[in-house]
Amino acid sequence: MRGLLLLFVVFVNTAIFAQKVEYSIVVKDIETQLPIENATVLIMKTKQTLISNQDGKVTFELEGGSNVQVSETNYEKVTLRWGSLKPDLFVVYLKNNNSNNKLEEIVVSKEKPEKNLQKIVSNSRQKLANNYRLKVYVREFFMLDNKYSYYNDGLVNFQFEGDQKKSTTTLLVEQNRSYGLLENDVSADLMGYNLNNIMENYSNLKYFDPLLDSKTKKEYEFTTTGHPNNKDYYIMSVTPLDKSKKALDTFEIIYDPTKKLIVEFTISIKPGNLAQIEEQTKEGSKNVTRSQVKVTYRIDDEDYYLLSSNEEIAYDLILKDQVKKNIQIRNNFITTNFNRQNFTYKESDVFKEKTLFNKQNKILTKYWDLSGFTATEEEKTLIEGLEFKM
């Protein structure tokens, strides 16, 4: 009887220890006390990655213990020991990498910036062209005539297969949900990003092709400066020349000059550049009114992979009799887990459609609550409004 009692006590203690506990962390600037958005929180035991929202907050579940690493490009990295974490709200303070906030300084080099960019892109492509898998939380909003009209999100796996030149991906969907946000049906107007295509572009860095082409790169001016808050990084700014008659993108590329790897890039079309475009009036034409891409990568020892992305595009679709229909699409990725082991799957498991708009809902857990994904207050209200549909 005493032996059975001891076994029962051990079983109960083990069960309690094995239970998942929810933690919330808020990341703040130690000097300003303001929340830090887009900070990376890495659960070192599970390799789960989260991105802080506009309140600097992430929420995650943890079974057992794990140290936690918190980082952001402009701040010094902090590693928290598991013993210091508490299940309720825990505040982490980050110190600016350069408390003097030095001015950006022009980087003087014997090599032209455009030639240096070619080496950085080539090396980053080669490093990304590898075999691994990413678990990604993906979210997409569709707006029609400035009204939120459709929403989808999901937890998906991308399997990468790469050689020295490029990567290809296979997509498997674990969970997803997709809902219309208006009373009227907008399915005929639905547009979305091709998930495999967009991920392959992030891996193969297709966005930089215009800057590497011998003809089109002449349309740009290249400038390299030191990062104002991080001595380990440089910033390359690529802007269209004033004489250019096209609406060209403006690039900002943050990179590690020692490892020759891209850390982050932003691409956008400035309003002034858009004004140069002659508006198309032919039926079916698309006149772009906004375009922006922001992509970040994680360098973790020998591992290098996509961390998060935001893409937005807005355009006026020309209908009959010059009637315009405004379309806006916003797509977000966040990598929640990186793994070098391939997963096994049947061909029938592969998702071959372009977007999650085309997949029947499959909800097993509230995966969106623990995604650590940044959302505006307006978006949170919309997403929470979906609860009644589930």
Side-chain angles (χ1 to χ4, degrees), residues 32-53:
T32 66
Q33 300 292 301
L34 295 174
I36 300 173
E37 187 177 1
N38 292 326
T40 302
V41 178
L42 173 67
I43 315 304
M44 299 180 75
K45 175 183 176 181
T46 62
K47 298 297 182 183
Q48 182 185 8
T49 306
L50 306 104
I51 302 294
S52 61
N53 64 18

PDB file of all heavy atoms in Angstrom, residues 32-53:
ATOM      1  N   THR A  32      13.263  54.699 -22.175  1.00  0.00           N
ATOM      2  CA  THR A  32      11.996  55.402 -22.413  1.00  0.00           C
ATOM      3  C   THR A  32      10.813  54.739 -21.721  1.00  0.00           C
ATOM      4  O   THR A  32       9.751  55.357 -21.583  1.00  0.00           O
ATOM      5  CB  THR A  32      11.700  55.471 -23.917  1.00  0.00           C
ATOM      6  OG1 THR A  32      11.456  54.132 -24.413  1.00  0.00           O
ATOM      7  CG2 THR A  32      12.856  56.084 -24.682  1.00  0.00           C
ATOM      8  N   GLN A  33      10.983  53.467 -21.301  1.00  0.00           N
ATOM      9  CA  GLN A  33       9.906  52.679 -20.689  1.00  0.00           C
ATOM     10  C   GLN A  33       8.768  52.380 -21.674  1.00  0.00           C
ATOM     11  O   GLN A  33       7.699  51.930 -21.272  1.00  0.00           O
ATOM     12  CB  GLN A  33       9.328  53.385 -19.454  1.00  0.00           C
ATOM     13  CG  GLN A  33      10.340  53.627 -18.353  1.00  0.00           C
ATOM     14  CD  GLN A  33      10.810  52.338 -17.698  1.00  0.00           C
ATOM     15  OE1 GLN A  33      10.009  51.588 -17.163  1.00  0.00           O
ATOM     16  NE2 GLN A  33      12.105  52.068 -17.768  1.00  0.00           N
ATOM     17  N   LEU A  34       8.997  52.635 -22.966  1.00  0.00           N
ATOM     18  CA  LEU A  34       7.977  52.382 -23.974  1.00  0.00           C
ATOM     19  C   LEU A  34       8.079  50.949 -24.485  1.00  0.00           C
ATOM     20  O   LEU A  34       9.176  50.363 -24.515  1.00  0.00           O
ATOM     21  CB  LEU A  34       8.141  53.354 -25.151  1.00  0.00           C
ATOM     22  CG  LEU A  34       7.906  54.831 -24.834  1.00  0.00           C
ATOM     23  CD1 LEU A  34       8.238  55.690 -26.052  1.00  0.00           C
ATOM     24  CD2 LEU A  34       6.454  55.055 -24.396  1.00  0.00           C
ATOM     25  N   PRO A  35       6.954  50.351 -24.892  1.00  0.00           N
ATOM     26  CA  PRO A  35       6.997  48.980 -25.431  1.00  0.00           C
ATOM     27  C   PRO A  35       7.763  48.918 -26.742  1.00  0.00           C
ATOM     28  O   PRO A  35       7.782  49.885 -27.509  1.00  0.00           O
ATOM     29  CB  PRO A  35       5.517  48.632 -25.629  1.00  0.00           C
ATOM     30  CG  PRO A  35       4.819  49.950 -25.723  1.00  0.00           C
ATOM     31  CD  PRO A  35       5.586  50.895 -24.855  1.00  0.00           C
ATOM     32  N   ILE A  36       8.403  47.797 -26.981  1.00  0.00           N
ATOM     33  CA  ILE A  36       9.174  47.587 -28.209  1.00  0.00           C
ATOM     34  C   ILE A  36       8.399  46.619 -29.101  1.00  0.00           C
ATOM     35  O   ILE A  36       8.165  45.460 -28.737  1.00  0.00           O
ATOM     36  CB  ILE A  36      10.571  47.012 -27.908  1.00  0.00           C
ATOM     37  CG1 ILE A  36      11.355  47.983 -27.015  1.00  0.00           C
ATOM     38  CG2 ILE A  36      11.333  46.744 -29.206  1.00  0.00           C
ATOM     39  CD1 ILE A  36      12.679  47.421 -26.539  1.00  0.00           C
ATOM     40  N   GLU A  37       8.009  47.099 -30.265  1.00  0.00           N
ATOM     41  CA  GLU A  37       7.273  46.283 -31.229  1.00  0.00           C
ATOM     42  C   GLU A  37       8.254  45.513 -32.108  1.00  0.00           C
ATOM     43  O   GLU A  37       9.368  45.965 -32.369  1.00  0.00           O
ATOM     44  CB  GLU A  37       6.393  47.178 -32.096  1.00  0.00           C
ATOM     45  CG  GLU A  37       5.455  46.427 -33.028  1.00  0.00           C
ATOM     46  CD  GLU A  37       4.556  47.370 -33.798  1.00  0.00           C
ATOM     47  OE1 GLU A  37       4.668  48.596 -33.627  1.00  0.00           O
ATOM     48  OE2 GLU A  37       3.728  46.871 -34.577  1.00  0.00           O
ATOM     49  N   ASN A  38       7.859  44.325 -32.541  1.00  0.00           N
ATOM     50  CA  ASN A  38       8.653  43.477 -33.442  1.00  0.00           C
ATOM     51  C   ASN A  38       9.943  42.966 -32.812  1.00  0.00           C
ATOM     52  O   ASN A  38      10.899  42.643 -33.518  1.00  0.00           O
ATOM     53  CB  ASN A  38       8.975  44.207 -34.753  1.00  0.00           C
ATOM     54  CG  ASN A  38       7.747  44.440 -35.594  1.00  0.00           C
ATOM     55  OD1 ASN A  38       6.830  43.629 -35.604  1.00  0.00           O
ATOM     56  ND2 ASN A  38       7.699  45.565 -36.295  1.00  0.00           N
ATOM     57  N   ALA A  39       9.979  42.883 -31.477  1.00  0.00           N
ATOM     58  CA  ALA A  39      11.098  42.202 -30.824  1.00  0.00           C
ATOM     59  C   ALA A  39      10.922  40.697 -31.002  1.00  0.00           C
ATOM     60  O   ALA A  39       9.790  40.189 -31.021  1.00  0.00           O
ATOM     61  CB  ALA A  39      11.153  42.558 -29.340  1.00  0.00           C
ATOM     62  N   THR A  40      12.030  39.977 -31.138  1.00  0.00           N
ATOM     63  CA  THR A  40      11.986  38.526 -31.316  1.00  0.00           C
ATOM     64  C   THR A  40      12.156  37.842 -29.965  1.00  0.00           C
ATOM     65  O   THR A  40      13.115  38.119 -29.238  1.00  0.00           O
ATOM     66  CB  THR A  40      13.107  38.057 -32.255  1.00  0.00           C
ATOM     67  OG1 THR A  40      12.967  38.713 -33.515  1.00  0.00           O
ATOM     68  CG2 THR A  40      13.044  36.550 -32.464  1.00  0.00           C
ATOM     69  N   VAL A  41      11.229  36.955 -29.632  1.00  0.00           N
ATOM     70  CA  VAL A  41      11.301  36.169 -28.398  1.00  0.00           C
ATOM     71  C   VAL A  41      11.453  34.702 -28.786  1.00  0.00           C
ATOM     72  O   VAL A  41      10.572  34.125 -29.420  1.00  0.00           O
ATOM     73  CB  VAL A  41      10.043  36.371 -27.524  1.00  0.00           C
ATOM     74  CG1 VAL A  41      10.114  35.500 -26.275  1.00  0.00           C
ATOM     75  CG2 VAL A  41       9.900  37.844 -27.131  1.00  0.00           C
ATOM     76  N   LEU A  42      12.598  34.118 -28.430  1.00  0.00           N
ATOM     77  CA  LEU A  42      12.899  32.726 -28.790  1.00  0.00           C
ATOM     78  C   LEU A  42      12.828  31.853 -27.544  1.00  0.00           C
ATOM     79  O   LEU A  42      13.536  32.085 -26.559  1.00  0.00           O
ATOM     80  CB  LEU A  42      14.299  32.632 -29.407  1.00  0.00           C
ATOM     81  CG  LEU A  42      14.820  31.211 -29.692  1.00  0.00           C
ATOM     82  CD1 LEU A  42      14.006  30.553 -30.798  1.00  0.00           C
ATOM     83  CD2 LEU A  42      16.296  31.237 -30.053  1.00  0.00           C
ATOM     84  N   ILE A  43      11.938  30.838 -27.580  1.00  0.00           N
ATOM     85  CA  ILE A  43      11.868  29.850 -26.505  1.00  0.00           C
ATOM     86  C   ILE A  43      12.943  28.806 -26.818  1.00  0.00           C
ATOM     87  O   ILE A  43      12.796  28.009 -27.740  1.00  0.00           O
ATOM     88  CB  ILE A  43      10.472  29.191 -26.432  1.00  0.00           C
ATOM     89  CG1 ILE A  43       9.363  30.250 -26.536  1.00  0.00           C
ATOM     90  CG2 ILE A  43      10.343  28.372 -25.157  1.00  0.00           C
ATOM     91  CD1 ILE A  43       9.438  31.336 -25.516  1.00  0.00           C
ATOM     92  N   MET A  44      14.028  28.807 -26.071  1.00  0.00           N
ATOM     93  CA  MET A  44      15.220  28.071 -26.469  1.00  0.00           C
ATOM     94  C   MET A  44      15.046  26.550 -26.412  1.00  0.00           C
ATOM     95  O   MET A  44      15.690  25.815 -27.156  1.00  0.00           O
ATOM     96  CB  MET A  44      16.409  28.531 -25.627  1.00  0.00           C
ATOM     97  CG  MET A  44      16.696  30.025 -25.813  1.00  0.00           C
ATOM     98  SD  MET A  44      18.081  30.668 -24.869  1.00  0.00           S
ATOM     99  CE  MET A  44      19.447  30.006 -25.836  1.00  0.00           C
ATOM    100  N   LYS A  45      14.157  26.062 -25.571  1.00  0.00           N
ATOM    101  CA  LYS A  45      13.926  24.622 -25.474  1.00  0.00           C
ATOM    102  C   LYS A  45      13.201  24.089 -26.700  1.00  0.00           C
ATOM    103  O   LYS A  45      13.579  23.073 -27.285  1.00  0.00           O
ATOM    104  CB  LYS A  45      13.107  24.309 -24.215  1.00  0.00           C
ATOM    105  CG  LYS A  45      12.705  22.831 -24.072  1.00  0.00           C
ATOM    106  CD  LYS A  45      11.830  22.634 -22.847  1.00  0.00           C
ATOM    107  CE  LYS A  45      11.347  21.195 -22.738  1.00  0.00           C
ATOM    108  NZ  LYS A  45      10.478  20.999 -21.550  1.00  0.00           N
ATOM    109  N   THR A  46      12.162  24.789 -27.119  1.00  0.00           N
ATOM    110  CA  THR A  46      11.323  24.317 -28.224  1.00  0.00           C
ATOM    111  C   THR A  46      11.679  24.964 -29.553  1.00  0.00           C
ATOM    112  O   THR A  46      11.163  24.563 -30.595  1.00  0.00           O
ATOM    113  CB  THR A  46       9.841  24.613 -27.922  1.00  0.00           C
ATOM    114  OG1 THR A  46       9.672  26.048 -27.811  1.00  0.00           O
ATOM    115  CG2 THR A  46       9.405  23.969 -26.615  1.00  0.00           C
ATOM    116  N   LYS A  47      12.542  26.008 -29.504  1.00  0.00           N
ATOM    117  CA  LYS A  47      12.907  26.784 -30.694  1.00  0.00           C
ATOM    118  C   LYS A  47      11.716  27.551 -31.275  1.00  0.00           C
ATOM    119  O   LYS A  47      11.753  28.003 -32.419  1.00  0.00           O
ATOM    120  CB  LYS A  47      13.520  25.894 -31.782  1.00  0.00           C
ATOM    121  CG  LYS A  47      14.809  25.206 -31.377  1.00  0.00           C
ATOM    122  CD  LYS A  47      15.904  26.198 -31.075  1.00  0.00           C
ATOM    123  CE  LYS A  47      17.203  25.511 -30.712  1.00  0.00           C
ATOM    124  NZ  LYS A  47      18.276  26.469 -30.346  1.00  0.00           N
ATOM    125  N   GLN A  48      10.648  27.706 -30.475  1.00  0.00           N
ATOM    126  CA  GLN A  48       9.504  28.490 -30.929  1.00  0.00           C
ATOM    127  C   GLN A  48       9.886  29.973 -30.958  1.00  0.00           C
ATOM    128  O   GLN A  48      10.543  30.478 -30.039  1.00  0.00           O
ATOM    129  CB  GLN A  48       8.301  28.299 -30.009  1.00  0.00           C
ATOM    130  CG  GLN A  48       7.056  29.064 -30.471  1.00  0.00           C
ATOM    131  CD  GLN A  48       5.897  28.962 -29.492  1.00  0.00           C
ATOM    132  OE1 GLN A  48       6.062  28.437 -28.398  1.00  0.00           O
ATOM    133  NE2 GLN A  48       4.744  29.470 -29.874  1.00  0.00           N
ATOM    134  N   THR A  49       9.482  30.665 -32.011  1.00  0.00           N
ATOM    135  CA  THR A  49       9.789  32.083 -32.168  1.00  0.00           C
ATOM    136  C   THR A  49       8.505  32.895 -32.153  1.00  0.00           C
ATOM    137  O   THR A  49       7.518  32.510 -32.777  1.00  0.00           O
ATOM    138  CB  THR A  49      10.538  32.332 -33.496  1.00  0.00           C
ATOM    139  OG1 THR A  49      11.677  31.481 -33.559  1.00  0.00           O
ATOM    140  CG2 THR A  49      10.974  33.777 -33.596  1.00  0.00           C
ATOM    141  N   LEU A  50       8.517  34.012 -31.437  1.00  0.00           N
ATOM    142  CA  LEU A  50       7.366  34.904 -31.387  1.00  0.00           C
ATOM    143  C   LEU A  50       7.828  36.327 -31.644  1.00  0.00           C
ATOM    144  O   LEU A  50       8.981  36.674 -31.386  1.00  0.00           O
ATOM    145  CB  LEU A  50       6.655  34.815 -30.035  1.00  0.00           C
ATOM    146  CG  LEU A  50       6.240  33.398 -29.597  1.00  0.00           C
ATOM    147  CD1 LEU A  50       7.185  32.890 -28.514  1.00  0.00           C
ATOM    148  CD2 LEU A  50       4.810  33.354 -29.104  1.00  0.00           C
ATOM    149  N   ILE A  51       6.923  37.165 -32.142  1.00  0.00           N
ATOM    150  CA  ILE A  51       7.219  38.563 -32.412  1.00  0.00           C
ATOM    151  C   ILE A  51       6.294  39.421 -31.555  1.00  0.00           C
ATOM    152  O   ILE A  51       5.079  39.212 -31.543  1.00  0.00           O
ATOM    153  CB  ILE A  51       6.999  38.907 -33.900  1.00  0.00           C
ATOM    154  CG1 ILE A  51       7.860  38.019 -34.794  1.00  0.00           C
ATOM    155  CG2 ILE A  51       7.298  40.380 -34.157  1.00  0.00           C
ATOM    156  CD1 ILE A  51       9.336  38.231 -34.668  1.00  0.00           C
ATOM    157  N   SER A  52       6.860  40.385 -30.831  1.00  0.00           N
ATOM    158  CA  SER A  52       6.042  41.214 -29.938  1.00  0.00           C
ATOM    159  C   SER A  52       5.115  42.119 -30.739  1.00  0.00           C
ATOM    160  O   SER A  52       5.464  42.608 -31.814  1.00  0.00           O
ATOM    161  CB  SER A  52       6.943  42.061 -29.031  1.00  0.00           C
ATOM    162  OG  SER A  52       7.746  42.934 -29.787  1.00  0.00           O
ATOM    163  N   ASN A  53       3.918  42.345 -30.197  1.00  0.00           N
ATOM    164  CA  ASN A  53       2.947  43.206 -30.883  1.00  0.00           C
ATOM    165  C   ASN A  53       3.211  44.664 -30.543  1.00  0.00           C
ATOM    166  O   ASN A  53       4.226  45.006 -29.936  1.00  0.00           O
ATOM    167  CB  ASN A  53       1.513  42.778 -30.547  1.00  0.00           C
ATOM    168  CG  ASN A  53       1.183  42.943 -29.075  1.00  0.00           C
ATOM    169  OD1 ASN A  53       1.858  43.650 -28.335  1.00  0.00           O
ATOM    170  ND2 ASN A  53       0.134  42.290 -28.640  1.00  0.00           N
TER     171      ASN A  53
END
